[in-house]
Amino acid sequence: MTELPMTVPAQGLPDRVTIYEVGPRDGLQNEAGLIDTEVKAELIHRLLAAGLRIVEATSFVHPKWVPQLADAEDLMRMLGEQGRELPVLVPNERGLDRAMELGCRHVAIFGSATQTFAQKNLNRSLEEQFAMFEPVVRRARDAGLDVRAYVSMCFGDPWEGAVPVEQVVSVGRRLLDLGASQLSLGDTIGVATAGHVGALVDAFAEAGMQRGDLALHFHDTYGQALSNVQAGLRAGITTYDASAGGLGGCPYAKSATGNLATEDLVWFLTGLGIEHGVDLPALVETSTWLAGHLGRPSPSAVVRALSG
Ligand code: HMG
Ligand code: MG
């Protein structure tokens, strides 16, 4: 069985990228059936063992809003010392308090580029979200924590339609100005296309932000995620979010489906000779194991091709 593609480098692309694995959080948050905390902990251990260095573990959001991740405390206790180095989502000060009580060192806030999604996902207006995040970032930074910021609906919104690039840049700049060290640009509903990705990254650069501070977060609803990664690579972006097995979706975003599968990304990068540090067979084995727990096959083309 072919387990890796032939490597044929292309001109003008970075030599290596960082994969920011969101499977245990973005991948699982949408699962209807509650998954045992032990299974989540084993998933995280397996992902780390497969060479993923950044694995977003869970969310300290309101348990009623995302019941699947209501076991955040139990999971972090189960992971022990290793878990403290893994990023976790915190929407507000209550979330930060919960994360800090467990010794978490890396937190992520998640804002919206649109008014409607800010309201649906955070119960705040577009403007009010910044007031919610400001003390979170300040207190986290004062305590020496690293803060990532997500922006959702960067390429389109199911309620508002097209989202102007300037609006995304303005929201992103405000989140970076609060003190976030990295901004992940989310295509929450998977409507981005390659030209749009290049234009958005260039708009951030033209507005004075560093390409090295940006990450791209694609969902694969329309099968465009890898094409969008290629556009991101050409635009100089070296951090990509992905979810093992292609699981995922946002419970508060109509029509959001699975994230870019980490296996598909790893196959693609390997073919281009771009370093990523991940053991693809180990990752495929992990997603196949998880699919057994979820009771359905992984939607990732690479997992399907390699697990037969
Ligand atoms: P709210 O109802 O406005 O909260 O929800 P509140 O501040 O009014 O507080 C109400 C009660 O909730 C209070 O309790 C708080 O203590 C409690 P009471 O005093 O009434 O007993 N509370 C909390 N409890 C535990 N943990 C907390 C917390 N906060 C308040 N953190 C809130 C506001 C932000 C909490 C809510 O809207 C929420 O939890 N939203 C999370 C939604 C979510 O997790 N969405 C998915 C992640 S985003 C995503 O997937 C997109 C991404 O992948 C990128 C992309 O693809 O675009 C990142
Ligand atoms: Mg997402």
Side-chain angles (χ1 to χ4, degrees), residues 25-26 217 219 259:
R25 194 278 304 171
D26 209 353
H217 178 109
H219 286 251
N259 290 68

Side-chain angles (χ1 to χ4, degrees), residues 20 75 77 102 119 129 144 146 152-153 169 179 188 191 200-201 226:
Y20 186 108
L75 176 64
R77 280 194 204 99
L102 290 150
Q119 205 65 58
Q129 68 180 337
D146 174 60
S152 287
M153 303 299 175
V169 172
T188 320
V191 292
L200 185 65
V201 171
L226 284 180

Side-chain angles (χ1 to χ4, degrees), residues 11 15 40 57 62 79 108 261 284 296:
Q11 294 288 317
D15 294 334
K40 295 174 184 173
H62 196 295
L79 292 171
V284 168
R296 61 175 197 284

